[in-house]
Amino acid sequence: MYSEKVFEHFRNPRNVGVIEDADGVGTVGNPVCGDLMTMYIKVKDDRIEDIKFQTFGCGAAIATSSMATELAKGKTLEEALKITKQTVADALGGLPPQKMHCSNLASDALKRAIADYLKKRGREEDLKRLGLDKLAEEEHEEHGEVCEA
Amino acid sequence: MVYLDYVAGCPVDRRVIDEMLKYFEHPGNPSSVHSKGFEARKIIDDARSKVAELINASPSEIVFTSGATESNNLAIIGYAMRNKRKGNHIVVSAIEHISVINSAKFLQKNGFDVSYAPVDRHGKLKIDELEKLIKKDTILVSIQHANPEIGTIQNIQEIREVVECALHVDATASLGKIEVDVEKMGVDLLTISSNDIYGPRGVGGLYIRSGVRVNPIIIGGGQENGLRGGTENVAGIAGFGKASEITKREWKDESERMEKLRDRLLNGLLKIEETYLNGHPTERLPNNASVRFSYIEGESILLSMDMENIQASTGSACTSKTLQPSHVLMAIGLKHEEAHGSVVFSLGRWSSQQDIDYVLEKLPPIVERLRMMSPLYVKKKKGGE
């Protein structure tokens, strides 16, 4: 069902927790669908200096959250935005097809956290340039993925 | 290993295996007209008597199948096809096994009307609602004796009083746990499965009351009184017979023992904060402990328990092929997010107090760890402080 790497990240998830004075916060998912995750980032010189997550969800949801934080840590914001569902799944040695979308929310949460950071700093031009302007306008708490495979 | 997933699969009792081993080497086909055929026929007849005795039926009322799914298919599709001139409406409960629900859907696609009888929040069938659903062209009602997922037991005698047409009962989960007596229950068709009483997989049975007619759904050479084609699974059927014999002798003591262990487990589980019981508080299978933990998801709980070598089941959508939560948990009115955190512990013949105490030691930290990871829990905690 899951790769050994997924199990490993599920057993020992990296970067679990909350950053109280986070520079950016992104939440995606919906408890009704069984997956909800929040990503917290600390940014210094446009680089992700620290990152933490909290996830309600299945094994894949927790493992992808952990893997995404590992991939993002130390990257510049632009580099971090290149992390996709596919990147995260590949880094974990693949995911079962039905888990690819519903449980693989971490890259979206990361995008939202970055958008939140840029918005808070009033960097409208960067938001536009990076295609995050629409994302930044939405209230992240209300965002819900459609629960479909 | 602490295996508390007997509802998903049971080991075969060693005594059953020993019995079966005698027959794997037997070459006879029960239909053959020679001594080896006659011997094979006798093996099957003996097994049929033992199975019949377990449920208080006559041997001639038992048809062997490949398991509960086929038995449910034969009962519902076979009965409806045979009796369609009497009417084209059937009623099944909302918490039936998926093989019943999907048999009903199959009939729906083939011109039958299907109604789903609702249950209350404990999973008890609403008998007054069932009564309203029964029309003059209703030919069959199908109700589970007990639900494997939430443990709730239905009162079949009370249901029988309002059902004048044929009544099918799926006793897969109840057989060997509580009394299953086709005469007392007054059923026309009853599904039973071998593996659920520690017999081999791939074998089941359907009780068909004498005089009740069904069409076969597996067409072959007229085996099983023309109701199930295909050369009989002699060793498997012999195993089912042996398992029935053991169950008849031992089920009462076994259920009493399991109930004590189950209560010990439930009492411990329900001490974990925001943990709730699924199903009926008293009218439930003695081996079933179904609970839900708020703020966390079932698959994560199962994987975490498995890391401690504890095995159980969940009704969470995240483990189902359709990504839909269990229809049983939805039918008792749980919200999606409540269904996600549901876990079923099912005990069996080899469950021990040591197993229960091990689970009660290992589970609280697992729940705590997943909750500390869950934004829902942390948010709730913050809100509450």
Side-chain angles (χ1 to χ4, degrees), chain B residues 331-343:
Chain B
I332 60 171
L334 292 192
K335 294 181 190 148
H336 280 71
E337 52 269 47
E338 292 173 324
H340 284 303
S342 286
V343 177

Side-chain angles (χ1 to χ4, degrees), chain A residues 1-2 7 10-11 13 16 18 20 31-38 53-60 62 98-99 102 141 147-149, chain B residues 294-297 299-301 303-304 307 317-324 336-337 340-341 369-376 378-379 382:
Chain A
M1 151 196 204
Y2 288 134
F7 280 120
F10 176 75
R11 275 192 290 267
V16 178
V18 177
E20 292 295 348
V32 171
C33 309
D35 291 292
L36 179 77
M37 72 158 306
T38 303
F53 79 89
Q54 283 195 307
T55 292
F56 159 80
C58 65
I62 290 169
Q98 77 275 21
K99 297 284 184 184
C102 69
E141 286 298 335
C147 350
E148 273 171 17
Chain B
S294 299
Y295 315 115
I296 52 179
E297 190 278 322
E299 189 202 274
S300 292
I301 304 170
L303 294 174
S304 303
M307 281 153 46
C318 304
T319 59
S320 74
K321 291 187 179 76
T322 55
L323 296 179
Q324 291 301 313
H336 280 71
E337 52 269 47
H340 284 303
R369 180 182 102 102
L370 292 172
R371 281 184 175 166
M372 292 317 288
M373 258 193 252
S374 166
L376 298 171
V378 173
K379 194 172 153 192
K382 275 187 184 163

Side-chain angles (χ1 to χ4, degrees), chain A residues 5-104:
Chain A
K5 196 99 185 157
V6 170
F7 280 120
E8 205 271 307
H9 274 262
F10 176 75
R11 275 192 290 267
N12 306 300
R14 283 53 146 183
N15 306 307
V16 178
V18 177
I19 301 177
E20 292 295 348
D21 58 342
D23 296 321
V25 181
T27 296
V28 280
N30 183 337
V32 171
C33 309
D35 291 292
L36 179 77
M37 72 158 306
T38 303
M39 194 79 93
Y40 303 85
I41 54 171
K42 260 323 243 189
V43 180
K44 196 177 177 191
D45 302 330
D46 272 6
R47 206 171 269 281
I48 296 177
E49 197 184 46
D50 196 10
I51 181 163
K52 289 213 183 309
F53 79 89
Q54 283 195 307
T55 292
F56 159 80
C58 65
I62 290 169
T64 52
S65 304
S66 165
M67 180 51 88
T69 60
E70 245 194 358
L71 291 171
K73 204 168 188 172
K75 289 223 164 62
T76 65
L77 296 181
E78 285 195 39
E79 283 164 353
L81 284 170
K82 289 191 183 118
I83 298 170
T84 63
K85 288 178 195 254
Q86 195 62 51
T87 327
V88 175
D90 290 347
L92 284 168
L95 280 178
Q98 77 275 21
K99 297 284 184 184
M100 198 53 199
H101 295 285
C102 69
S103 311
N104 189 354

